[in-house]
Amino acid sequence: MSGDSRKLHPSVLIIGAPGAGKGTQGKVLGTVPRFFHCACGDVFRSLDTRTELGQQFVEFSSKGELVPDEITIGLWKAQIDNWIETYHYKPDIDILILDGIPRNEHQAKILEDYLEVHQVIHLTCPDREELARRMRKRALKDNRYDDASDEVIAHRIDTYVEETRPLIDHYEGKVSEIDATKQPVEVLADVIAEIVKLDVYREMAKVVA
Ligand code: AMP
């Protein structure tokens, strides 16, 4: 592990129901210098499904359930360390944009050892049917089998409500509510407006890399 990775990583979390647009927003931000996007679901999907870890991911995600916390954090940490060692993610100058992790309070507590959370972007979309519509569309486009069946979609949304949404209270005082039902580009404008207000952003922006 490099020296940098031992410090708390400056982070912004994107929290929202499946289909709210976390990945869409996170991906765009990740293309901007001084930001690094990590989508936990993408880390899982990049696993070889012939491996034990890959099989565990398929087992849980195909039912719309969360992968157990220890497995998740272990994989996430290994991937972050790998990105640091290969100079993709530079924690001394990049703000880490986390999408899909933490997914519950236990994960949030474990991550306190690694992250300094500066802001939580809560993408709100109270309409379950709209979330389901977006997931069905994504299933066709991106070959996401966990978004393909109505039963799994419903369970994914329930899992979010029961396990992930309580994080909004957990991070009270750091949460920006953003209406995710707007057009993606308008949501992006709102997300960026929140991020550029942050002291950590202003500090990082001064660094010439
Ligand atoms: P996502 O692409 O974020 O919707 O994640 C797809 C699936 O990956 C989820 O339904 C979970 O099975 C698994 N997953 C992703 N992130 C996590 C996490 N932080 N904790 C547990 N499971 C996760």
Side-chain angles (χ1 to χ4, degrees):
M1 195 193 290
S2 78
D4 285 331
S5 69
R6 275 189 290 274
K7 284 197 208 144
L8 295 180
H9 303 328
S11 310
V12 170
L13 310 183
I14 307 182
I15 294 182
K22 302 186 295 296
T24 302
Q25 300 301 328
K27 241 177 246 152
V28 178
L29 281 174
T31 64
V32 179
R34 297 292 81 78
F35 293 97
F36 188 86
H37 173 230
C38 168
C40 194
D42 288 347
V43 176
F44 274 123
R45 276 183 291 277
S46 70
L47 291 171
D48 183 339
T49 51
R50 293 168 301 178
T51 61
E52 200 186 328
L53 207 53
Q55 281 298 311
Q56 282 170 316
F57 165 63
V58 171
E59 183 196 329
F60 290 98
S61 63
S62 62
K63 291 186 283 197
E65 287 173 10
L66 297 182
V67 179
D69 297 337
E70 278 64 28
I71 298 175
T72 299
I73 301 288
L75 177 68
W76 173 83
K77 182 69 176 51
Q79 180 64 79
I80 288 285
D81 285 345
N82 180 265
W83 278 324
I84 292 171
E85 274 155 29
T86 53
Y87 305 105
H88 286 89
Y89 164 45
K90 300 168 278 299
D92 56 330
I93 54 170
D94 292 340
I95 296 176
L96 184 59
I97 305 288
L98 282 181
D99 130 26
I101 187 167
R103 242 3 197 254
N104 58 34
E105 295 212 34
H106 183 229
Q107 291 185 8
K109 292 215 168 82
I110 303 174
L111 289 178
E112 282 171 12
D113 286 345
Y114 307 111
L115 306 179
E116 180 164 7
V117 176
H118 290 274
Q119 193 70 18
V120 176
I121 303 289
H122 180 202
L123 296 181
T124 60
C125 180
D127 181 352
R128 284 178 77 104
E129 197 31 56
E130 172 60 13
L131 293 171
R133 189 189 67 78
R134 292 180 182 188
M135 279 191 269
R136 281 192 291 266
K137 202 168 140 196
R138 173 166 83 182
L140 294 174
K141 243 178 69 192
D142 301 341
N143 215 4
R144 291 266 309 252
Y145 56 85
D146 56 336
D147 287 340
S149 100
D150 287 346
E151 201 188 329
V152 176
I153 286 175
H155 193 50
R156 263 162 72 66
I157 298 174
D158 290 341
T159 302
Y160 170 75
V161 171
E162 284 158 28
E163 302 193 42
T164 309
R165 206 162 59 191
L167 286 176
I168 300 305
D169 289 337
H170 179 94
Y171 289 111
E172 202 193 335
K174 290 184 181 172
V175 180
S176 307
E177 302 281 338
I178 289 183
D179 178 358
T181 62
K182 293 188 195 172
Q183 288 300 313
V185 73
E186 293 171 38
V187 178
L188 180 64
D190 292 345
V191 171
I192 290 172
E194 291 303 316
I195 289 177
V196 296
K197 282 187 214 160
L198 298 174
D199 289 342
V200 66
Y201 165 74
R202 290 168 191 276
E203 285 308 309
M204 296 292 214
K206 281 187 209 151
V207 180
V208 181

